[in-house]
Amino acid sequence: MFNGVSVSIINDTIYSKGFLKDKKALIPTGEMTFRTKGANFSNAVFMENGQGTKVIQINNMYFEKGGFLSVFILRVIFFGALLITIVSAVTFIGWLINWLKKELTISAFLLRIMPFLALVSFVIGIVALQMLFMGEMKQFSIMNGLSLTFYISLLLFPILSVASLIMLLFKKQKMNAWLQSWLIISAVFACSLAYVFFNYGFIGLKLWEY
């Protein structure tokens, strides 16, 4: 999603460009092999995998050819969900105060915060994964607090996402149209992100089994 590269040809020179990075010229060293500027050996190769998909390997990093639109949609979903999480964190505080002041019923309060809770569970899981990467590699092969947090959080993520969307679509409570639209959009982004991570095999992933 963010660690991909785009390949282009400008004035008979092939360039690779990482997400939010500068272009790098690929200098030919042989048939379908290249090196980047400053490298003393071939560190890039174009080939096809067993399924016939065109791939490129640069510095031991493997990339399969994909459509620009699909990558763009993935980034919109991710950054949209991130923006919604930040905004929802502010509104959550307001709704919490209203609930504590008994201006909101518990059901109305839960209805409003469900999409936020879904996205928070996702954030917690990703933070736990990042903390695992920052530690020793042997932590991945054992069941510990971080790997369990990652597993449980990413299991709750799609459950809360789908539940929030269903609750909002079939709600029986009166709600401002703008607020309802915002909450439904939030739930749709959460469900979309959950589907993406399910499709990539992250949902239900037990890191200690690998």
Side-chain angles (χ1 to χ4, degrees):
M1 192 183 300
F2 304 108
N3 200 30
V5 295
S6 59
V7 178
S8 58
I9 300 177
I10 303 176
N11 296 328
D12 296 327
T13 300
I14 299 178
Y15 290 87
S16 68
K17 183 180 183 303
F19 183 58
L20 300 179
K21 295 180 180 179
D22 296 329
K23 291 180 181 177
K24 291 184 178 180
L26 298 179
I27 304 168
T29 58
E31 186 177 357
M32 306 304 287
T33 59
F34 300 82
R35 66 176 178 87
T36 53
K37 186 177 180 180
N40 298 320
F41 53 88
S42 300
N43 59 352
V45 58
F46 289 87
M47 54 187 173
E48 290 187 358
N49 61 17
Q51 289 73 43
T53 303
K54 293 182 179 180
V55 302
I56 180 174
Q57 184 170 333
I58 303 178
N59 292 327
N60 297 320
M61 299 187 70
Y62 175 89
F63 306 97
E64 292 187 358
K65 182 179 180 181
F68 169 80
L69 182 60
S70 60
V71 174
F72 176 76
I73 291 174
L74 288 176
R75 289 173 179 170
V76 168
I77 291 173
F78 184 86
F79 284 115
L82 179 62
L83 177 62
I84 288 170
T85 304
I86 295 171
V87 174
S88 297
V90 178
T91 58
F92 169 77
I93 296 173
W95 289 325
L96 178 60
I97 293 173
N98 288 339
W99 175 63
L100 292 174
K101 292 168 63 177
K102 300 188 183 303
E103 295 178 3
L104 277 178
T105 64
I106 184 64
S107 59
F109 176 62
L110 289 175
L111 185 66
R112 286 162 171 76
I113 67 170
M114 281 290 284
F116 174 64
L117 292 179
L119 292 168
V120 165
S121 68
F122 168 75
V123 171
I124 291 173
I126 296 303
V127 169
L129 181 63
Q130 183 63 34
M131 292 177 68
L132 280 170
F133 276 116
M134 292 171 63
E136 298 180 2
M137 290 303 296
K138 65 180 182 181
Q139 292 185 13
F140 282 91
S141 60
I142 58 176
M143 184 186 298
N144 52 46
L146 289 175
S147 59
L148 274 175
T149 299
F150 171 80
Y151 174 70
I152 295 172
S153 297
L154 263 69
L155 271 184
L156 288 174
F157 176 42
I159 294 173
L160 292 173
S161 300
V162 173
S164 64
L165 184 58
I166 292 174
M167 289 170 62
L168 287 164
L169 291 177
F170 296 98
K171 73 175 183 66
K172 296 181 180 179
Q173 299 178 9
K174 291 184 179 180
M175 188 183 295
N176 178 280
W178 287 104
L179 175 58
Q180 182 181 7
S181 299
W182 165 256
L183 292 175
I184 289 176
I185 290 172
S186 301
V188 168
F189 267 91
C191 288
S192 300
L193 188 61
Y195 173 77
V196 169
F197 275 78
F198 174 80
N199 199 40
Y200 278 99
F202 282 92
I203 307 300
L205 178 62
K206 299 177 182 178
L207 296 173
W208 57 86
E209 293 185 352
Y210 292 85

